[in-house]
Amino acid sequence: METDLNSQDRKDLDKFIKFFALKTVQVIVQARLGEKICTRSSSSPTGSDWFNLAIKDIPEVTHEAKKALAGQLPAVGRSMCVEISLKTSEGDSMELEIWCLEMNEKCDKEIKVSYTVYNRLSLLLKSLLAITRVTPAYRLSRKQGHEYVILYRIYFGEVQLTGLGEGFQTVRVGTVGTPVGTITLSCAYRINLAFMSTRQFERTPPIMGIIIDHFVDRPYPSSSPMHPCNYRTAGEDTGVTYPSVEDSQEVCTTSFSTSPPSQCVFTVTKAHFQTPTPVVTDTLRVPMAGLAFSHQPAALGVGSADLAYPVVFAAGLNATHPHQLMVPGKEGGVPLAPNQPVHGAQADQERLATCTPSDGTHCAATPSSSEDTETVSNSSEGRASPHDVLETIFVRKVGAFVNKPINQVTLTSLDIPFAMFAPKNLELEDTDPMVNPPDSPDTESPLQGSLHSDGSSGGSSGNTHDDFVMIDFKPAFSKDDILPMDLGTFYREFQNPPQLSSLSIDIGAQSMAEDLDSLPEKLAVHEKNVREFDAFVETLQ
Amino acid sequence: MNCRSEVLEVSVEGRQVEEALLAVLHTVLLHRSTGKFHYKKEGTYSIGTVGTQDVDCDFIDFTYVRVSSEELDRALRKVVGEFKDALRNSGGDGLGQMSLEFYQKKKSRWPFSDECIPWEVWTVKVHVVALATEQERQICREKVGEKLCEKVINIVEVMNRHEYLPKMPTQSEVDNVFDTGLRDVQPYLYKISFQITDALGTSVTTTMRRLIKDTLAL
């Protein structure tokens, strides 16, 4: 295609397009990390902020993008695509969006490269920032955690939209005309979010690889097998020349999940309670144990009597991340408890939310229903410093552990640390006003009562002793003699009260009819007693 | 040059008014703000960097992006708060509209004052609904979130048309095109006004007020 561009303009344009492509990928991937993005404005130009926008560069993402581009630029028939997909902990995956940066043949010869094209590319990036928060995948990505993660894949070439299911929608972010063609940025997104029933094994490596790859903390990548973020089929590989890719070694070992790299998910079984910290840390490094967790909520839900109940939670090493860090070194195992699986009566796997500090506080006092979990975790950003809150929570939890062994049988069958804690934490429980309802000073503390009760779960838990500790924790002001049920059940029941019978239409109609029928009789009776009524009225006057 | 006008309508609950308006205004201003200009000797200029941040709404299932400028955010929140109060106090049907107008100043010779020539006006019509149950409110949260997503797509579509934008000014003219009063970003000159309307769409109090103001201004 002939252009009238001078060589300097051509060079500039190529540079603009290249960096625009890289920044586009950064914006898209960062928007799917699950965190709020915040960058600062700077009145003095730094010279390194392309398009006058403060967009951070995540090195792995830049690397992947450069690798995909392999020195080429988007051109006609060669589009740069960023595929965003969702992968559950069980290995099911689903493509959510495809972002395409395309070039078509429509040229705008008159346009000024260094000025107008640059500014329009900047505007297009701003539009991209806005649009990435508006597609359905954004809300999904904000809620990602150990149930599912959001992955990205960058490829170059023909756009493949078949994985998006039927009826996908497209939104055009914008176009910028240049002397060599028109750049178009668009997004095709899935609207049918019903999960695919068949697993795409041909596209996914084994579950083990994925979970390890995505949940392993960055400092420990070496033990994880490679999980390429590029699902390159044979077709894609051919025909694409690759100049030597620098840093190829690093590619192999990086995790390509867009979930926060510092997020760690692991399962601690009861067995771990017996052992001190090192076991926990080992679990962190070898999250194979984490594979079992997907079954646990269901098990909890039916109140299984399985002693080895797992505790699932997410730990984030990034202090700004809402997911909290499990502080190693604290004795007694797990301080944080997820709200939802504990109440497993509605063990809904999708609702398994991570426990944020605010959740943790709630954990201590009011284990809430799954809906609350979501709201709370959504609003948990920007709360107090995670570590402060964590400290508080942890102190409470220590008490909870003691509370847990409600019946003697449980106590003896429990691991030794519980027994160890029991006497200590009785004190804690006694002095804690949240545990001992202040309005019942005469009755013995529910804790003590329940400790001696046999068989009953102490009223705070309809589930067996093998449920997670939190269920058995006596919430403040609850009395087990009135309502022998756990707080979760209580809460659910009272959230959905049956409709008042007098408000239901049928009964209302019935009573109306009855009233009408009985009117004549009532009138007759009243007429008989006229004299009494008159006397009564006179007394009033 | 004609001023292009875009109208967006939203139906929200009372407590969602502020966030819905802020979402729209910030999205528009994101596109209509640049970094601070620094003019150099030869007449060229360099542009500062605009940062962005995500804002989660409390009463709407929605997140929007705004420029990282506390001053700008404060200015918008102030006027949106005034609008919300006016809506509440009007006691009417809960209808109002807010206009974000981008204009250029054209210097006139004395004794005439500078002209303000609008080149783009965004009008957001707000309809406040009252909801009875918590369930309705929850549904409203989601619905309004989806509506705002559509509005953002509409805004981006308009921005993408690359229609008239004021020319980049020389140093002496920059205040006629941009609001250079902010510390960290430089939006195009804009002004925000609002009016509470009755069901017929006519503004009740503000029309009178404007008439009086105009007569007195002369």
Side-chain angles (χ1 to χ4, degrees):
Chain A
M1 178 188 324
E2 287 180 36
T3 68
D4 298 324
L5 276 186
N6 61 38
S7 64
Q8 182 58 42
D9 273 351
R10 184 67 210 241
K11 259 196 256 172
D12 286 344
L13 185 61
D14 287 345
K15 213 173 8 156
F16 294 169
I17 294 176
K18 175 188 166 193
F19 280 97
F20 179 75
L22 295 176
K23 287 294 182 183
T24 295
V25 176
Q26 288 289 347
V27 168
I28 294 168
V29 172
Q30 287 176 27
R32 299 288 176 262
L33 284 177
E35 301 173 321
K36 286 205 295 194
I37 305 295
C38 179
T39 57
R40 293 185 56 189
S41 301
S42 162
S43 64
S44 30
T46 57
S48 61
D49 290 321
W50 273 92
F51 308 105
N52 309 118
L53 282 174
I55 298 172
K56 289 202 183 100
D57 283 324
I58 300 178
E60 289 89 3
V61 176
T62 303
H63 186 81
E64 279 304 309
K66 281 185 176 163
K67 205 171 99 173
L69 286 172
Q72 298 170 86
L73 290 176
V76 179
R78 291 202 316 261
S79 311
M80 190 189 74
C81 301
V82 182
E83 175 191 293
I84 301 290
S85 54
L86 178 151
K87 184 165 231 100
T88 65
S89 51
E90 287 163 345
D92 291 321
S93 77
M94 179 165 70
E95 275 177 40
L96 297 176
E97 302 171 320
I98 313 268
W99 296 84
C100 308
L101 179 59
E102 299 167 297
M103 180 80 98
N104 70 25
E105 290 153 348
K106 191 170 159 205
C107 303
D108 184 345
K109 302 272 170 79
E110 310 296 323
I111 203 167
K112 284 221 178 74
V113 170
S114 61
Y115 168 71
T116 311
V117 171
Y118 189 82
N119 287 337
R120 288 190 180 175
L121 288 174
S122 174
L123 194 70
L124 188 51
L125 271 177
K126 289 175 186 169
S127 298
L128 182 64
L129 279 164
I131 297 282
T132 43
R133 275 59 174 174
V134 146
T135 53
Y138 180 71
R139 299 219 75 80
L140 278 175
S141 68
R142 288 292 298 270
K143 294 179 191 167
Q144 68 183 296
H146 45 262
E147 259 194 39
Y148 64 85
V149 286
I150 304 292
L151 311 179
Y152 73 92
R153 171 171 87 100
I154 308 170
Y155 63 90
F156 193 72
E158 290 278 327
V159 182
Q160 296 157 15
L161 298 176
T162 48
L164 291 176
E166 281 179 17
F168 61 86
Q169 290 197 352
T170 50
V171 58
R172 182 142 75 147
V173 183
T175 60
V176 173
T178 76
V180 300
T182 299
I183 296 171
T184 306
L185 186 52
S186 60
C187 172
Y189 58 93
R190 168 188 284 272
I191 50 172
N192 174 18
L193 290 174
F195 223 94
M196 297 184 307
S197 52
T198 54
R199 295 177 180 212
Q200 293 177 308
F201 279 120
E202 67 276 8
R203 294 186 76 199
T204 64
I207 294 173
M208 309 271 271
I210 289 177
I211 290 190
I212 286 175
D213 203 51
H214 292 294
F215 299 138
V216 135
D217 189 30
R218 255 168 220 285
Y220 319 124
S222 51
S223 56
S224 58
M226 170 174 166
H227 170 52
C229 71
N230 296 353
Y231 293 97
R232 283 222 172 99
T233 61
E236 279 176 81
D237 279 340
T238 58
V240 180
T241 55
Y242 292 92
S244 60
V245 179
E246 71 273 20
D247 301 321
S248 56
Q249 292 309 309
E250 287 173 19
V251 173
C252 293
T253 53
T254 30
S255 151
F256 302 118
S257 163
T258 58
S259 45
S262 54
Q263 185 177 39
C264 312
V265 175
F266 49 100
T267 299
V268 179
T269 62
K270 252 203 208 176
H272 290 139
F273 291 152
Q274 288 178 347
T275 55
T277 314
V279 174
V280 174
T281 326
D282 285 344
T283 313
L284 181 66
R285 288 171 193 263
V286 185
M288 304 282 277
L291 298 176
F293 80 93
S294 56
H295 302 297
Q296 294 317 315
L300 281 180
V302 297
S304 81
D306 181 11
L307 278 183
Y309 63 79
V311 171
V312 181
F313 61 101
L317 296 176
N318 182 357
T320 60
H321 197 270
H323 298 123
Q324 280 320 291
L325 173 63
M326 209 291 285
V327 180
K330 298 268 184 179
E331 219 179 350
V334 183
L336 286 174
N339 299 335
Q340 187 275 339
V342 180
H343 296 293
Q346 269 127 42
D348 183 2
Q349 222 165 12
E350 279 118 34
R351 307 291 243 152
L352 182 65
T354 52
C355 192
T356 64
S358 51
D359 288 354
T361 324
H362 289 304
C363 277
T366 37
S368 52
S369 63
S370 52
E371 288 83 11
D372 289 349
T373 309
E374 294 246 323
T375 347
V376 171
S377 52
N378 279 342
S379 59
S380 64
E381 280 111 10
R383 299 258 174 134
S385 133
H387 295 288
D388 293 340
V389 184
L390 184 58
E391 290 293 328
T392 320
I393 294 168
F394 191 74
V395 169
R396 277 189 189 285
K397 295 304 177 292
V398 172
F401 281 110
V402 177
N403 190 11
K404 194 255 169 240
I406 302 289
N407 52 28
Q408 290 292 354
V409 174
T410 311
L411 193 56
T412 53
S413 63
L414 273 185
D415 301 320
I416 298 168
F418 285 152
M420 224 166 58
F421 283 135
K424 262 196 268 169
N425 285 288
L426 269 180
E427 290 166 17
L428 277 178
E429 293 276 311
D430 284 345
T431 54
D432 188 348
M434 288 298 286
V435 173
N436 284 327
D439 57 350
S440 58
D442 295 326
T443 61
E444 60 180 0
S445 111
L447 168 64
Q448 288 164 345
S450 58
L451 267 176
H452 297 301
S453 73
D454 204 4
S456 89
S457 56
S460 70
S461 167
N463 299 327
T464 66
H465 54 270
D466 295 311
D467 277 342
F468 183 67
V469 163
M470 284 319 300
I471 275 196
D472 299 332
F473 182 69
K474 292 293 171 73
F477 310 115
S478 84
K479 293 192 190 173
D480 52 346
D481 48 346
I482 296 173
L483 287 168
M485 63 172 77
D486 70 297
L487 189 67
T489 323
F490 165 89
Y491 201 74
R492 274 192 293 281
E493 279 192 26
F494 283 82
Q495 266 204 329
N496 302 309
Q499 202 181 22
L500 289 176
S501 56
S502 55
L503 290 182
S504 73
I505 296 175
D506 293 342
I507 296 179
Q510 268 178 13
S511 58
M512 259 279 275
E514 280 166 7
D515 287 341
L516 285 173
D517 287 341
S518 62
L519 264 180
E521 293 164 19
K522 287 191 185 155
L523 278 175
V525 169
H526 292 325
E527 276 175 20
K528 258 200 261 173
N529 300 329
V530 154
R531 286 216 189 126
E532 285 176 32
F533 286 132
D534 287 345
F536 173 68
V537 168
E538 272 176 36
T539 62
L540 291 174
Q541 280 167 356
Chain B
M1 167 261 316
N2 289 326
C3 168
R4 66 175 166 269
S5 170
E6 307 293 335
V7 180
L8 304 163
E9 294 191 33
V10 287
S11 278
V12 293
E13 224 200 328
R15 59 185 187 167
Q16 296 171 324
V17 169
E18 286 178 271
E19 287 180 335
L21 279 171
L22 284 170
V24 171
L25 295 175
H26 271 303
T27 302
V28 173
L29 278 164
L30 169 70
H31 289 83
R32 293 287 180 246
S33 300
T34 73
K36 298 281 289 180
F37 282 13
H38 296 274
Y39 285 94
K40 296 176 204 163
K41 277 182 253 180
E42 312 83 37
T44 57
Y45 60 91
S46 58
I47 310 180
T49 303
V50 172
T52 57
Q53 60 187 78
D54 291 335
V55 182
D56 286 336
C57 294
D58 292 325
F59 301 112
I60 312 174
D61 286 344
F62 186 69
T63 302
Y64 61 91
V65 182
R66 68 168 175 92
V67 291
S68 293
S69 167
E70 294 308 316
E71 285 174 277
L72 185 63
D73 189 40
R74 266 200 301 272
L76 291 186
R77 281 180 187 273
K78 182 163 174 278
V79 73
V80 164
E82 288 169 10
F83 174 76
K84 187 189 171 178
D85 290 338
L87 256 185
R88 201 175 27 209
N89 297 334
S90 73
D93 301 330
L95 284 169
Q97 66 183 45
M98 178 169 274
S99 296
L100 169 62
E101 180 186 297
F102 292 101
Y103 64 95
Q104 267 178 276
K105 264 198 249 180
K106 189 172 164 197
K107 293 246 184 270
S108 305
R109 272 183 283 173
W110 184 89
F112 301 104
S113 57
D114 292 344
E115 258 185 282
C116 293
I117 306 174
W119 50 272
E120 189 175 75
V121 178
W122 294 84
T123 304
V124 188
K125 293 195 175 164
V126 178
H127 176 218
V128 181
V129 295
L131 298 173
T133 68
E134 200 52 46
Q135 202 179 12
E136 284 179 24
R137 283 193 199 106
Q138 181 59 35
I139 295 172
C140 188
R141 269 186 82 99
E142 293 161 11
K143 283 243 165 86
V144 172
E146 287 164 21
K147 280 288 167 189
L148 286 176
C149 290
E150 287 173 28
K151 301 304 164 196
V152 166
I153 294 176
N154 293 345
I155 294 170
V156 162
E157 205 181 346
V158 171
M159 299 295 179
N160 174 57
R161 288 185 207 148
H162 300 305
E163 289 167 340
Y164 173 80
L165 278 181
K167 264 195 274 215
M168 285 299 155
T170 56
Q171 190 167 11
S172 53
E173 297 277 303
V174 72
D175 289 310
N176 294 340
V177 174
F178 286 101
D179 177 354
T180 52
L182 299 176
R183 234 174 353 150
D184 37 18
V185 295
Q186 193 174 284
Y188 282 99
L189 276 175
Y190 72 94
K191 59 177 139 188
I192 301 180
S193 58
F194 61 84
Q195 51 193 17
I196 310 299
T197 55
D198 61 17
L200 296 171
T202 54
S203 158
V204 181
T205 42
T206 33
T207 316
M208 286 309 300
R209 220 185 285 147
R210 209 189 293 145
L211 278 173
I212 296 169
K213 253 204 209 160
D214 288 347
T215 19
L216 288 176
L218 283 174

